[in-house]
Amino acid sequence: MRADRLVSLVLLLRQRGRLTAGALARELEVSTRTVLRDIEALSAAGVPVYAERGRHGGFALLPGFRTELTGLNQDEALALLTAGSGRGDQAFGLGSALASAMRKVVDALPETHQAAASDAARRFLVEPDTDLLSRRPVAEEVSGTAMIEIRRAVLAGHRLRIHYAATGQAPQWRTVDPIGLVTVRDRGYLLATRSGADRTYRLSRVLAAEELPEAAQRPNAVDLDRVWRERCARFLSDGHIVVLVRVHPARREELLSTVVALRAAEPDSDGRLRLTVTFQDLRHAEWALWQLGTDAEALAPAALRTALRDRASAIARRYAAS
């Protein structure tokens, strides 16, 4: 852990020049005292870092000093920088590790390409905080300490105790065999088994976690993509409702933000879109389509059309002229 931090400290000084102890501490997420100890350790190891006194002082490396890291070509570095510029910092509590990795990626380039790659990465924006309709994604908060324990158990193949708050239930401790971690639309999930039965847990509902010393009961190899598809298929077939709907293209994304899944999409003859979507239940479907007014029309099932018609009739009667 400290070795990684020392490398990150050197890379920060190489890429940004002179930095104060406070600035380094903020970047590395440690105390100023820790930074000063790290500076002393680097100096003792022969790294030419020196202090400049005064109002604009700080720490810097002697000109020309270069670390020995494996090189990347410009397109490889650009691909990694672009991937790291999205919302990857929110995945599985790896934000600080991602920041450190991005510094190493830039440093691995030849000096003549570093500025060009950094500038090129700034020209790409992946998954911004708002879309064209100014809607902000609802980011789920996951306990940092719990995420560390979960991640360790998944990678080490150990059993895991989680304090989990299922919907409508009091939080309970559960012992599970972790299989893997999945993130979809800024939501994280732990795939596991419990007493041999498949279980999927929302990471935002894990209040605490503890890695256990015993080995998890799980296969040595796993096709996580296949496991996730199978669980999604079971989830969608369990009490959900499939709806065929015609929607104005301008309202497509608004509709899709409310559905459980999109199963099919094709253009209709009048320019509208014909979508086959899945909702949690009839009440959920009625609520979602009501928000879109006349820009959406439920074609099936008949029960949903009846529910929307009855609701519209009730509103019309309420506001009818007396």
Side-chain angles (χ1 to χ4, degrees):
M1 182 70 177
R2 190 190 185 196
D4 287 341
R5 190 175 69 241
L6 292 176
V7 171
S8 292
L9 194 157
V10 172
L11 295 180
L12 282 169
L13 294 178
R14 269 187 43 77
Q15 294 164 15
R16 302 191 189 179
R18 184 171 57 247
L19 290 171
T20 65
L24 288 167
R26 288 190 296 273
E27 287 286 345
L28 300 173
E29 299 180 357
V30 296
S31 67
T32 301
R33 180 175 297 179
T34 297
V35 167
L36 295 177
R37 285 200 300 264
D38 288 348
I39 293 290
E40 291 181 2
L42 289 172
S43 297
V47 177
V49 58
Y50 66 95
E52 291 188 0
R53 307 294 181 184
R55 180 180 177 185
H56 300 291
F59 295 98
L61 294 169
L62 288 178
F65 175 77
R66 180 167 180 80
T67 53
E68 294 297 329
L69 294 175
T70 300
L72 300 172
N73 66 42
Q74 192 165 1
D75 283 346
E76 290 170 340
L78 179 58
L80 291 173
L81 289 170
T82 301
S85 69
R87 305 180 67 83
D89 60 327
Q90 300 179 12
F92 313 135
L94 293 170
S96 59
L98 178 63
S100 174
M102 291 303 101
R103 288 193 289 269
K104 293 176 182 177
V105 167
V106 172
D107 195 80
L109 287 173
E111 291 186 9
T112 54
H113 293 165
Q114 288 181 6
S118 296
D119 179 70
R122 286 192 288 268
R123 304 292 176 178
F124 300 160
L125 181 60
V126 181
E127 295 292 338
D129 287 338
T130 58
D131 61 18
L132 288 174
L133 300 178
S134 298
R135 296 175 303 195
R136 296 182 64 87
V138 180
E140 294 191 336
E141 294 187 5
V142 181
S143 166
T145 54
M147 192 65 248
I148 291 173
E149 293 291 310
I150 294 171
R151 197 168 64 236
R152 286 175 176 169
V154 168
L155 296 178
H158 290 169
R159 305 194 84 186
L160 180 69
R161 287 185 73 236
I162 57 174
H163 195 213
Y164 191 73
T167 303
Q169 300 180 23
Q172 296 180 356
W173 282 99
R174 307 166 187 206
T175 299
V176 303
D177 295 299
I179 295 173
L181 294 167
V182 176
T183 179
V184 181
R185 296 180 183 176
D186 294 329
R187 292 182 178 178
Y189 300 89
L190 167 66
L191 306 189
T193 60
R194 185 183 178 203
S195 300
D198 291 345
R199 294 289 184 268
T200 302
Y201 300 100
R202 283 270 288 275
L203 293 178
S204 60
R205 294 176 182 163
V206 178
L207 307 180
E210 177 188 1
E211 178 190 5
L212 300 178
E214 59 262 32
Q217 299 300 309
R218 67 181 193 182
N220 292 328
V222 62
D223 183 346
L224 203 59
D225 185 57
R226 178 185 58 78
V227 172
W228 177 250
R229 289 198 307 269
E230 291 174 351
R231 294 197 180 188
C232 286
R234 288 199 299 270
F235 175 75
L236 294 176
S237 64
D238 185 16
H240 291 71
I241 181 175
V242 177
V243 174
L244 178 61
V245 58
R246 294 174 68 250
V247 63
H248 191 285
R251 308 296 295 275
R252 177 182 183 274
E253 294 304 319
E254 187 174 349
L255 171 64
L256 293 185
S257 69
T258 65
V259 306
V260 174
L262 169 65
R263 294 194 170 189
E266 59 183 15
D268 215 341
S269 57
D270 61 354
R272 294 205 167 200
L273 298 174
R274 186 178 290 249
L275 307 179
T276 303
V277 294
T278 302
F279 290 98
Q280 293 177 359
D281 50 33
L282 180 63
R283 184 177 179 182
H284 177 207
E286 179 186 346
W287 170 85
L289 293 180
W290 184 261
Q291 313 306 309
L292 302 180
T294 58
D295 284 334
E297 177 189 1
L299 302 178
L304 177 58
R305 291 179 60 87
T306 299
L308 288 168
R309 183 197 63 204
D310 291 347
R311 177 184 279 212
S313 297
I315 292 292
R317 288 194 299 271
R318 175 63 59 88
Y319 289 100
S322 57

